[in-house]
């Protein structure tokens, strides 16, 4: 049983007694009805069972002096209570999407109706405690520079979301007033029309399906009870995030209600391309141009590193074009504190224009290395297939 139950259900009516009935009268009424609708006496009758539950619930509250008082208080505060369509719970699509819970769950910083009711009910049972609700998960995205993605960074994220209006705490009513049950639909939010042999149900025109009418609307939200708000948070993006990765920032989502925990924030990260470096997991990649002579004769070449000064890579004589070298410690920091490497790929640059000296030297080289056709074996192998 919750605050809502108290407002939705007429326990006196369920037992067929008056609001001023004495305890003995309530007990007698309960006994009579309980015998009549007891499941043992009505095997398989679902409506009898439903009625039996209703009677039991009503009796459990009205037979307890303290709880009966709380119940009476709650209903007098809200003028008789709301009715919720059968089978629909507030906050689950009933009331045409309006969440009745919002009226009682004050997300503001105190002083709302939630507190009022919390005060009423916490004197008795802790029925309102289980009304704590976790905030919604929120998803957003951010674009990082290549370097920030590798090193980690802090970004400011602007989050916009719809929540209860802070001015009226979601009731839609002007300060000092409360919404009342829609008299046209009795709070169901639905009105039925009879069309000959069948009836159709449509959202109540009077309250636009909300089940509540506001006589004096909150000027801030024009009575809707909802408001868009935005907040900016500083989010720490860990080192080493990859393009397209979704990062979970626990507890940074929408705030919880009535002491419930905040939801989580998911940040989809886009990483800008770098003009020189690429990424392969926790390794950085770079392609470095070299000359034929450097590969053939061996050399020490300087290659750029993401952090700090260029590093020197030693190329052994006779290194094949496209060979890869790994420079450890110059990659992306991993979660465990270790760092990936820099993968260097060497690529021979063939000069477009040769001066005469270079041309004659290469011609000399051609003479000196003339001999077996380097493609001979390839051509042989191709035939065999
Ligand atoms: Zn408002
Ligand atoms: Zn209505």
């Amino acid at each position: 049983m919750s605050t809502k139950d108290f407002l939705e259900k007429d326990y006196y009516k369920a037992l067929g007694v008056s609001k001023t009935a004495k305890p003995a009268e309530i007990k007698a009424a309960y006994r009579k009805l309980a015998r009549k609708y007891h499941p043992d006496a009505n095997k398989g009758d679902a409506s009898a069972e439903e009625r039996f539950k209703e009677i039991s619930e009503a009796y459990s509250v009205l037979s307890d002096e303290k709880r009966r008082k709380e119940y009476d208080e709650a209903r007098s505060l809200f003028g008789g209570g709301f009715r919720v369509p059968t089978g629909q719970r507030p906050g689950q699509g009933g009331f045409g999407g309006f969440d009745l819970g919002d009226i009682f769950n004050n997300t503001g910083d105190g002083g709302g109706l939630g507190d009022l009711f919390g005060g009423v009910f916490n004197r008795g049972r802790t029925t309102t405690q289980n009304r704590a609700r976790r905030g919604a998960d929120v998803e957003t995205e951010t674009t990082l520079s290549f370097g920030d993605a590798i090193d980690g960074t802090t970004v400011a994220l602007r989050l916009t979301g719809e929540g209860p209006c802070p001015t009226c705490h979601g009731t839609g009513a002007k300060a000092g007033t409360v919404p009342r049950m829609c008299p046209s639909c009795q709070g169901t939010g639905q009105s039925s029309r009879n069309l000959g042999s069948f009836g159709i149900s449509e959202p109540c025109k009077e309250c636009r399906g909300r089940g509540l009418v506001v006589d004096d609307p909150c000027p801030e939200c024009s009575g809707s009870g909802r408001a868009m708000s935005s907040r900016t948070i500083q989010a720490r993006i860990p080192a080493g995030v990859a393009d397209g990765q979704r990062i979970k920032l626990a507890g940074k989502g929408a705030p919880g209600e009535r002491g419930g925990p905040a939801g989580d924030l998911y940040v989809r990260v886009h990483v800008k391309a770098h003009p020189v470096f690429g990424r392969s997991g926790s390794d950085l990649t770079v392609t470095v141009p070299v000359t034929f002579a450097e590969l053939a004769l061996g050399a020490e070449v300087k290659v750029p590193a993401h952090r700090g000064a260029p590093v020197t890579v030693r190329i052994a004589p006779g290194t094949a074009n496209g060979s890869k070298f790994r420079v450890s410690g110059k990659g992306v920091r991993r979660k465990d504190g270790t760092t990936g490497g820099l993968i260097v790929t060497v690529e021979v640059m063939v000069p477009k224009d040769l001066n005469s000296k270079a041309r004659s030297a290469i011609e000399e080289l051609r003479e000196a290395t003339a001999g077996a056709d380097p493609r001979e074996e390839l051509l042989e192998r191709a035939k065999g297939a």
Side-chain angles (χ1 to χ4, degrees):
M1 254 163 287
S2 66
T3 313
K4 264 188 332 249
D5 285 332
F6 277 10
L7 296 169
E8 290 159 16
K9 294 174 182 172
D10 192 339
Y11 293 147
Y12 292 104
K13 202 171 153 197
L15 293 181
V17 297
S18 75
K19 287 189 172 59
T20 53
K22 297 264 183 309
E25 209 180 319
I26 288 168
K27 194 171 184 177
Y30 166 70
R31 285 208 168 147
K32 197 176 138 218
L33 290 167
R35 256 199 305 276
K36 187 173 168 193
Y37 292 104
H38 197 281
D40 289 351
N42 300 274
K43 284 222 160 64
D45 183 348
S47 69
E49 198 187 326
E50 220 23 70
R51 185 82 176 91
F52 182 75
K53 280 186 203 153
E54 215 177 275
I55 297 158
S56 308
E57 193 186 316
Y59 183 65
S60 76
V61 172
L62 297 186
S63 63
D64 183 330
E65 201 189 315
K66 205 160 141 192
R67 300 190 66 203
R68 184 179 174 184
K69 200 164 160 261
E70 291 169 359
Y71 174 68
D72 291 342
E73 272 177 325
R75 290 180 67 87
S76 68
L77 270 170
F78 260 73
F82 307 110
R83 232 175 60 202
V84 171
T86 331
Q88 283 185 321
R89 305 295 305 159
Q92 292 182 345
F95 274 46
F98 172 71
D99 187 350
L100 190 57
D102 284 341
I103 293 182
F104 307 113
N105 291 327
N106 168 32
T107 56
D109 25 12
L113 286 164
D115 290 340
L116 174 62
F117 279 87
V120 171
F121 294 109
N122 283 332
R123 270 192 269 128
R125 303 193 169 212
T126 54
T127 45
T128 51
Q129 277 187 4
N130 53 16
R131 302 193 51 73
R133 207 160 53 169
R134 185 178 173 277
D137 289 341
V138 176
E139 184 145 359
T140 187
E141 49 189 3
T142 189
T143 300
L144 303 179
S145 74
F146 190 86
D148 282 349
I150 290 166
D151 300 331
T153 185
T154 300
V155 292
L157 298 171
R158 190 174 164 83
L159 305 174
T160 307
E162 198 195 55
C165 166
T167 305
C168 61
H169 301 288
T171 66
K174 197 173 172 181
T177 71
V178 289
R180 61 187 168 86
M181 185 183 74
C182 173
S184 170
C185 62
Q186 302 291 303
T188 62
Q190 299 285 315
S191 64
S192 322
R193 258 199 302 158
N194 271 329
L195 295 176
S197 54
F198 62 94
I200 58 158
S201 187
E202 56 188 8
C204 171
K205 285 196 176 67
E206 192 74 22
C207 61
R208 289 202 202 86
R210 190 180 167 188
L212 298 169
V213 286
V214 172
D215 297 318
D216 226 345
C218 162
E220 217 53 54
C221 62
S222 312
S224 70
R226 311 296 287 171
M228 292 300 284
S229 62
S230 68
R231 63 201 163 103
T232 302
I233 63 153
Q234 300 294 319
R236 179 74 204 154
I237 305 293
V241 293
D243 186 38
Q245 199 176 322
R246 207 165 77 125
I247 296 166
K248 178 181 169 181
L249 297 166
K252 295 276 194 182
E257 293 178 4
R258 285 207 67 81
D264 298 326
L265 171 64
Y266 291 91
V267 184
R268 175 83 60 189
V269 175
H270 305 284
V271 180
K272 284 187 202 150
H274 191 279
V276 167
F277 299 106
R279 276 275 294 274
S280 175
S282 58
D283 289 332
L284 289 182
T285 60
V286 65
T287 298
V288 175
V290 290
T291 64
F292 172 75
E294 284 171 329
L295 292 189
L297 305 176
E300 285 188 349
V301 298
K302 267 187 183 169
V303 303
H306 165 61
R307 270 182 296 269
V311 291
T312 301
V313 171
R314 186 186 299 269
I315 295 170
T319 293
N321 183 40
S323 292
K324 291 180 195 305
F325 297 83
R326 184 186 170 86
V327 183
S328 58
K330 292 291 178 184
V332 181
R333 209 172 318 133
R334 300 188 189 97
K335 268 190 186 152
D336 63 4
T338 62
T339 307
L342 172 65
I343 309 292
V344 179
T345 304
V346 290
E347 190 177 75
V348 170
M349 295 309 286
V350 178
K352 275 206 174 76
D353 299 303
L354 294 170
N355 58 38
S356 59
K357 193 180 170 194
R359 174 174 287 274
S360 58
I362 291 172
E363 280 166 356
E364 235 174 276
L365 174 70
R366 184 174 59 189
E367 302 296 313
T369 55
D373 180 356
R375 288 164 293 279
E376 192 176 3
E377 197 205 329
L378 178 78
L379 292 165
E380 271 316 303
R381 273 194 289 147
K383 268 189 240 163

